[in-house]
Amino acid sequence: MWTRHPGRLLSLSLSLGSVQGVSRPAPRELPPGVSRRLYHATPPPPPPPAPSAIAQANPGENDTPTRTTMAETEPVQRELLPDDVLPVEYTLKLEPNLETFKFTGSVTIDLKVQKPVKALTLHSRQLAFDSAYIEADGVKQPVEGISTNVKDTTVTFALSEEVTAGKKTKLVVDFIGTLNDQMAGFYRSRYTATDGSARYMATTQFEATDARRCFPCWDEPARKAVFHVTIVAPKGLEAVSNMIEKRSVLLKDGRREVSFMPTPLMSSYLLAFCVGEFDFIQGTTKEGTIVRCICMPGKAADLQFALHTGIKATEFYNDFFNIAYPLPKLDMIAIPDFAAGAMENWGLVTYREVDLLLNPAKASQAQKERVATVVTHEIAHQWFGNLVTMAWWDDLWLNEGFACWMQTFCADAIYPQWALTEVYVSVMQSGALAADALRSSHPIQVPIGRAETVEEVFDRVSYQKGGSVVRMAYALLGRDKFRAGLTSYLNKHSYANTESADLWQAWEDASGQPIKDLMSSWTEQMGFPLITVDKATRAGGKVTLEVSQAWFLADGSVKEDDEKKQWVVPLIAGTSDGVQPVTYLKEKSGSIEVKTGGWVKLNFGQEIPLRVKYTPELLEDLSNVLPSLSPVDRMGMINDAVALSKAGKSSIVDLVNVMKGYKGEKNVNVWSQLISGFASLKKGLRYSSVDQKQDVNAAINRFALGLAKPIAEELGWDHKDADSDVTKRLRASVVSFVIATEDSDATFAEAKRRFDAYYADRANPLLHADIRNSVMKLVVRKGGDLAGTLRKLREIHDATDDSSLRRDLTAAMGAAPDKGALREQLAWITEGGTVRTQDMIFGFFGVAMNTTNSENFGKDVLKEYYATQYDALYSLVGETSKMIFASFVNISFATLTTEDEVVAMEKFWKEKNIEGISKTICTGMEEARSGIMMGQQFASSAAAKTSFWEGVSL
């Protein structure tokens, strides 16, 4: 159970480390139950590292510079620091100044010298060095020279004498750094205090290669060490880190020196600390671990949902892994400026505010599910990623793919009423299939030579396909063997580093099955198969299916050697008579015998990340029984139909015929796939050369509304007390779809009524979070007084600190049906000073998705902006976060409709010569060309004529 501790926030520290008789500044008045300093009387001490932890963390086999097991790639030379000297412990002291935005630091690194050296090379970036010396067996020797390599982000300390192996050696360095505004390293974040003033806090983001921006270190995941951290916090501010406080001393100048207990053995990218003024609430797991949710002052009331989820998730993982969470506390803190969604720092997880703060009374159901799954994702990492860490970045998926699936598995156990396993198939697995159907994709296990390039593979393949492959393993192994293998893997490799083969071995040992052959065929090569049923023969109550596998590509292209790709494919068949035993297709083709006299569905339960194409007869059988299939199988049917039509593997007419079978559909996750299907049809129309686009668009809308409007009218626009959570989400999806699709005066009048009521009274429930984005877009698009409407939306934006609402507002303004207004919108986003850098992409996305009059209306405005304002955009975003900037690169391709435009945009970006975006450029080009090809298919299909749609009946 979780509780909140009233009064001022006391330091969470060991009683022996508390400083008696020290007066502290009186806190401001706090809401009931919200604390200012953390307190727990006698937390357990941190666990010692595993007895052989250092030997495990730095084994010689982990230093191998090349990896040759990837099926489709040449060996890549890893750029690693020399292994002649390794870190054992860091003693780090930092003194941040939130007025000058500088920090001073000192670090003492206990070293294991394995070979004689006369120089030490560490990672360092944007640091200046005051002094350094080395101490070997108690004898100090000065450093003769300090040289930095900007390209390699290293610093080398030249020694006056050689240090031999086996000596007890320390490196001591004093340095100075900048609290940057780039959301990387040790950086500053701006927020608005309760009195309305602008203030700053300091925080960290070290993954993948930015610990070196804070202190000189061995910034590689296999170079695990113990960290002793001391922070000197400015007057009136607090400090938190991975571990609990050991001692806290008030200095004469009013600053506070806070020392923390040593961390377990861990990688440098997992170290974290935050300095600022904080509110928070806390609770305790049933095992006794303190879980705390921390935020900027005035927002603690919105932490309760995340705290409840965090406690339940920690308890769930303790039980499922059969390994207790190894630290005495788990903090989760909301950061105003944050590039990613969250970061799993061991014991101090950092989040974007929108992914931790939530008011259940005002939040949409989608927001609740987002916060819950982000929390469960990050807590999964405390075991899978932190306790056991990948040896190098080419196994990033071991962290992210596992956590991506586990977040749903855990959250579904906490909130079973949300049907989150369905959400996984609808969002995560479908996203994985879309991303991995491109030639610009990559294997889940992707060779990484230079660590700085790893940000490009923090993508849907590493996360969502990785998670889908883990989900496949769970389905094939079963819960008990899957779990036993994980527990064995985590126990064997605790505080150490691993590769994918170590996990395969654990599952093989637990199950007795040849897991490596199966899993490596899915992780060591890019892409996934299309299973085609070439022939179905019925006889004697059985159906024999002749099947073949081939690489599925979104554009349907075929090149030389494509046919060589093949997978070990589990075939799971469901029939009108039940589920059949799993069989495996290990060759390019084969047959499967199924006992049934009725319908047959392959990939039953959508357990395997692949696509299926049926014979016309089998497809008709399935179309006739769609309502009797499970929601995930109904999702799979429509998702495959959309993808096959886009790839030219089936016709657009076939897609429409499948969609007709969903009349009366009331599952929200199935509806998300139907909505994607309609979006695909309309994109094909926009990209086509059809003469009467507006008439055909109206015909598609009538078809869509024939499916959606009866459901929307039954649900209504307002939530009801008796509504379940999934009903609320169904309303959000279907009613929002109708609002966006129906061009009627009545729909607009209702949207306008609700918006006006909300503008007059922000507490008015008429514009609830589940429909507000669609309502605001419609009011912008059809409201008449465009300038006045945009002014009102910006006024609401600047007055709220609700991150989710600000995102919706920024995106909605992109629906303006005037190019001058869109230019003004982009200027307001980038120059107005009120939209955070991390949120600007939502405004650009709103403009990109503007399809006024069935055309890519925002395309010309975006192209013009990139051509004329590139330098300003790169300075604002590119120099801040390459991860965020990659989204701006990708979106520049999203609206291109001709090959000439794609080639010109490719040339534009390649001339910029920006490191770390080459994959994004390739992906953007391929997605644009896929859209162009679908436009060509649409133009040549019967669906290009209004007469076809007149014949479509429901």
Side-chain angles (χ1 to χ4, degrees):
M1 297 294 292
W2 61 269
T3 58
R4 298 199 303 181
H5 293 252
R8 64 192 180 92
L9 202 64
L10 298 178
S11 164
L12 178 65
S13 60
L14 291 174
S15 56
L16 61 86
S18 300
V19 179
Q20 304 297 323
V22 176
S23 62
R24 303 196 176 188
R28 64 175 175 80
E29 196 67 27
L30 298 175
V34 178
S35 300
R36 173 52 52 78
R37 295 264 308 151
L38 304 170
Y39 175 75
H40 183 75
T42 54
S52 58
I54 292 174
Q56 292 174 338
N58 300 296
E61 57 268 29
N62 284 347
D63 301 330
T64 305
T66 61
R67 183 182 180 108
T68 58
T69 59
M70 303 303 176
E72 302 180 305
T73 53
E74 295 296 325
V76 171
Q77 187 77 20
R78 293 178 181 174
E79 296 186 12
L80 301 172
L81 292 177
D83 63 355
D84 42 16
V85 177
L86 300 175
V88 177
E89 293 192 4
Y90 295 83
T91 301
L92 176 66
K93 182 177 181 180
L94 296 168
E95 302 184 31
N97 187 318
L98 285 166
E99 294 178 353
T100 65
F101 302 134
K102 300 288 184 182
F103 64 88
T104 59
S106 63
V107 63
T108 299
I109 311 173
D110 290 9
L111 303 173
K112 179 182 179 182
V113 180
Q114 302 192 128
K115 300 176 184 177
V117 292
K118 280 206 67 177
L120 298 175
T121 298
L122 289 72
H123 287 114
S124 171
R125 183 179 178 188
Q126 298 172 346
L127 296 175
F129 298 94
D130 280 346
S131 63
Y133 66 88
I134 196 164
E135 182 178 307
D137 283 348
V139 178
K140 290 184 181 179
Q141 62 167 286
V143 167
E144 282 195 333
I146 303 175
S147 59
T148 59
N149 185 315
V150 175
K151 178 180 180 295
D152 293 338
T153 61
T154 59
V155 58
T156 297
F157 300 96
L159 309 179
S160 56
E161 297 180 15
E162 184 177 77
V163 177
T164 57
K167 286 190 174 182
K168 186 176 181 181
T169 305
K170 298 177 184 289
L171 173 66
V172 182
V173 185
D174 293 330
F175 54 93
I176 300 171
T178 300
L179 291 171
N180 65 72
D181 60 356
Q182 298 174 3
M183 294 183 282
F186 194 18
Y187 71 94
R188 65 184 185 267
S189 177
R190 178 179 54 83
Y191 65 97
T192 302
T194 53
D195 62 4
S197 63
R199 298 186 188 178
Y200 289 89
M201 56 93 67
T203 186
T204 56
Q205 172 58 41
F206 289 165
E207 191 180 29
T209 60
D210 286 313
R212 65 193 69 178
R213 290 198 193 204
C214 180
F215 62 103
C217 57
W218 278 258
D219 202 8
E220 297 165 0
R223 303 309 181 207
K224 290 192 170 186
V226 173
F227 296 84
H228 304 256
V229 175
T230 296
I231 303 291
V232 179
K235 184 177 181 180
L237 302 185
E238 306 290 346
V240 291
S241 188
N242 305 78
M243 297 299 292
I244 58 174
E245 290 182 11
K246 180 168 63 175
R247 66 178 63 86
S248 178
V249 178
L250 186 64
L251 305 179
K252 292 181 180 179
D253 59 6
R255 294 183 301 161
R256 180 169 296 281
E257 183 174 291
V258 184
S259 298
F260 298 92
M261 295 295 293
T263 70
L265 198 71
M266 69 182 197
S267 303
S268 58
Y269 77 87
L270 295 172
L271 187 65
F273 24 85
C274 302
V275 181
E277 50 179 352
F278 304 129
D279 286 350
F280 79 90
I281 59 176
Q282 74 176 44
T284 307
T285 68
K286 61 186 179 183
E287 297 87 1
T289 301
I290 304 157
V291 181
R292 306 180 293 191
C293 287
I294 309 171
C295 62
M296 301 304 101
K299 299 182 178 182
D302 292 344
L303 291 172
Q304 294 187 29
F305 178 80
L307 179 63
H308 171 77
T309 304
I311 290 172
K312 292 298 183 183
T314 305
E315 293 173 346
F316 176 88
Y317 292 132
N318 280 339
D319 175 70
F320 188 76
F321 296 136
N322 198 26
I323 297 173
Y325 174 74
L327 274 64
K329 60 92 173 175
L330 173 60
D331 286 342
M332 302 187 288
I333 183 168
I335 307 298
D337 295 291
F338 199 78
M343 175 60 208
E344 66 267 21
N345 316 298
W346 211 355
L348 179 60
V349 184
T350 45
Y351 296 79
R352 275 197 194 187
E353 288 188 324
V354 73
D355 289 323
L356 194 71
L357 299 169
L358 182 142
N359 182 337
K362 295 181 179 180
S364 68
Q365 179 60 23
Q367 286 175 264
K368 295 176 185 177
E369 292 175 11
R370 166 69 182 179
V371 170
T373 52
V374 172
V375 169
T376 55
H377 179 107
E378 302 307 323
I379 296 179
H381 276 310
Q382 306 303 300
W383 287 262
F384 227 95
N386 298 5
L387 180 63
V388 178
T389 312
M390 75 263 157
W392 184 243
W393 298 109
D394 49 18
D395 277 311
L396 173 69
W397 87 275
L398 277 176
N399 283 18
E400 300 302 347
F402 182 86
C404 190
W405 176 76
M406 204 74 200
Q407 69 184 44
T408 301
F409 186 66
C410 174
D412 187 59
I414 301 171
Y415 303 107
Q417 69 274 22
W418 292 352
L420 289 174
T421 53
E422 294 177 14
V423 178
Y424 186 92
V425 174
S426 176
V427 178
M428 296 296 187
Q429 187 158 294
S430 64
L433 293 173
D436 201 35
L438 303 175
R439 290 187 183 274
S440 56
S441 183
H442 60 82
I444 292 176
Q445 292 175 255
V446 55
I448 298 291
R450 184 174 170 81
E452 286 80 359
T453 66
V454 72
E455 283 199 7
E456 281 209 278
V457 298
F458 280 85
D459 61 6
R460 286 185 294 175
V461 173
S462 297
Y463 282 69
Q464 296 174 359
K465 187 186 177 186
S468 297
V469 169
V470 173
R471 179 173 177 265
M472 176 179 73
Y474 181 83
L476 297 173
L477 291 170
R479 181 186 177 100
D480 292 344
K481 292 177 181 177
F482 178 90
R483 181 186 182 194
L486 286 185
T487 299
S488 172
Y489 169 85
L490 291 169
N491 274 316
K492 181 177 181 180
H493 302 289
S494 290
Y495 306 102
N497 298 84
T498 62
E499 296 180 342
S500 298
D502 297 308
L503 180 57
W504 308 157
Q505 188 62 55
W507 275 335
E508 284 198 355
D509 292 343
S511 67
Q513 299 183 35
I515 295 301
K516 181 183 184 301
D517 291 342
L518 167 69
M519 298 299 284
S520 60
S521 82
W522 290 86
T523 63
E524 294 186 3
Q525 63 177 332
M526 61 184 277
F528 58 88
L530 167 66
I531 300 299
T532 299
V533 181
D534 299 300
K535 185 179 179 181
T537 304
R538 295 184 183 272
K542 297 180 181 180
V543 181
T544 300
L545 305 179
E546 295 180 17
V547 298
S548 58
Q549 62 166 297
W551 184 14
F552 180 82
L553 289 160
D555 62 2
S557 63
V558 178
K559 295 184 179 181
E560 187 178 357
D561 292 335
D562 283 0
E563 75 280 357
K564 294 180 179 179
K565 291 173 69 73
Q566 66 183 61
W567 291 258
V568 177
V569 184
L571 295 176
I572 304 175
T575 73
S576 52
D577 300 311
V579 184
Q580 305 294 301
V582 179
T583 59
Y584 290 85
L585 179 63
K586 299 180 180 181
E587 305 298 332
K588 292 292 290 183
S589 62
S591 63
I592 172 175
E593 188 176 83
V594 179
K595 296 179 180 179
T596 183
W599 55 265
V600 180
K601 183 184 181 297
L602 291 182
N603 201 17
F604 197 71
Q606 298 301 116
E607 304 286 5
I608 317 300
L610 52 75
R611 299 208 182 279
V612 180
K613 181 182 177 183
Y614 297 94
T615 64
E617 296 76 18
L618 291 179
L619 182 60
E620 184 178 359
D621 289 344
L622 287 168
S623 297
N624 291 333
V625 298
L626 276 173
S628 67
L629 298 180
S630 70
V632 292
D633 285 311
R634 299 202 300 276
M635 281 183 256
M637 291 293 296
I638 187 65
N639 192 263
D640 283 354
V642 171
L644 290 171
S645 70
K646 290 173 69 175
K649 300 294 184 181
S650 65
S651 71
I652 291 174
V653 173
D654 290 337
L655 169 60
V656 173
N657 288 334
V658 171
M659 296 176 80
K660 287 164 57 178
Y662 288 84
K663 183 179 180 179
E665 179 63 61
K666 292 185 179 181
N667 181 279
V668 60
N669 298 302
V670 178
W671 256 106
S672 73
Q673 295 305 312
L674 282 169
I675 291 170
S676 294
F678 282 113
S680 180
L681 284 173
K682 296 179 80 169
K683 182 177 181 179
L685 173 63
R686 287 196 309 275
Y687 278 57
S688 75
S689 56
V690 173
D691 292 332
Q692 297 178 317
K693 282 188 179 180
Q694 292 191 40
D695 292 340
V696 176
N697 186 68
I700 295 174
N701 285 344
R702 286 192 295 272
F703 173 46
L705 290 169
L707 290 174
K709 198 166 182 182
I711 310 299
E713 289 175 343
E714 178 183 334
L715 293 169
W717 289 37
D718 296 305
H719 291 320
K720 302 174 181 64
D721 291 341
D723 285 342
S724 67
D725 289 334
V726 291
T727 298
K728 291 178 180 177
R729 200 155 66 83
L730 177 63
R731 177 180 293 107
S733 293
V734 179
V735 173
S736 293
F737 180 62
V738 170
I739 292 170
T741 305
E742 186 173 42
D743 187 15
S744 73
D745 292 339
T747 300
F748 169 71
E750 180 63 13
K752 184 71 162 57
R753 180 180 77 86
R754 289 171 181 267
F755 175 75
D756 289 344
Y758 176 76
Y759 180 72
D761 176 12
R762 308 295 158 79
N764 193 307
L766 280 175
L767 192 62
H768 55 84
D770 286 298
I771 63 170
R772 71 185 176 207
N773 184 260
S774 295
V775 166
M776 290 187 296
K777 283 183 178 178
L778 182 58
V779 172
V780 169
R781 192 169 70 247
K782 295 191 62 173
D785 180 15
L786 180 59
T789 300
L790 294 176
R791 176 185 55 77
K792 290 177 181 178
L793 292 175
R794 288 169 187 157
E795 178 185 324
I796 298 170
H797 177 280
D798 294 349
T800 185
D801 61 358
D802 182 333
S803 298
S804 179
L805 174 57
R806 289 166 72 97
R807 284 183 177 184
D808 284 350
L809 289 158
T810 304
M813 287 183 265
D818 177 83
K819 291 185 178 180
L822 293 181
R823 294 185 187 99
E824 179 186 332
Q825 168 70 356
L826 294 179
W828 174 76
I829 291 168
T830 55
E831 301 170 20
T834 60
V835 180
R836 292 187 184 274
T837 303
Q838 67 203 30
D839 293 330
M840 291 179 180
I841 189 61
F842 297 100
F844 276 67
F845 184 80
V847 173
M849 296 300 103
N850 187 323
T851 55
T852 300
N853 297 327
S854 306
E855 298 289 347
N856 290 346
F857 191 73
K859 176 177 70 174
D860 292 340
V861 176
L862 275 181
K863 286 171 62 179
E864 175 188 292
Y865 182 88
Y866 281 94
T868 61
Q869 303 296 320
Y870 167 79
D871 289 340
L873 180 65
Y874 185 78
S875 177
L876 186 66
V877 182
E879 293 181 356
T880 297
S881 170
K882 285 294 195 307
M883 181 186 295
I884 296 175
F885 190 70
S887 297
F888 286 85
V889 177
N890 184 268
I891 213 169
S892 70
F893 289 94
T895 58
L896 306 182
T897 55
T898 70
E899 178 63 20
D900 288 345
E901 289 177 331
V902 175
V903 172
M905 189 59 73
E906 176 193 22
K907 182 174 183 290
F908 174 83
W909 286 116
K910 287 191 173 180
E911 286 177 347
K912 303 305 177 186
N913 196 29
I914 305 168
E915 184 180 23
I917 65 167
S918 59
K919 179 182 175 298
T920 303
I921 294 171
C922 292
T923 299
M925 291 171 60
E926 195 170 354
E927 288 175 338
R929 285 174 174 145
S930 178
I932 293 169
M933 192 195 75
M934 188 173 184
Q936 294 168 351
Q937 291 177 356
F938 193 98
S940 63
S941 75
K945 300 182 183 301
T946 55
S947 58
F948 166 80
W949 296 99
E950 291 168 359
V952 175
S953 60
L954 293 172

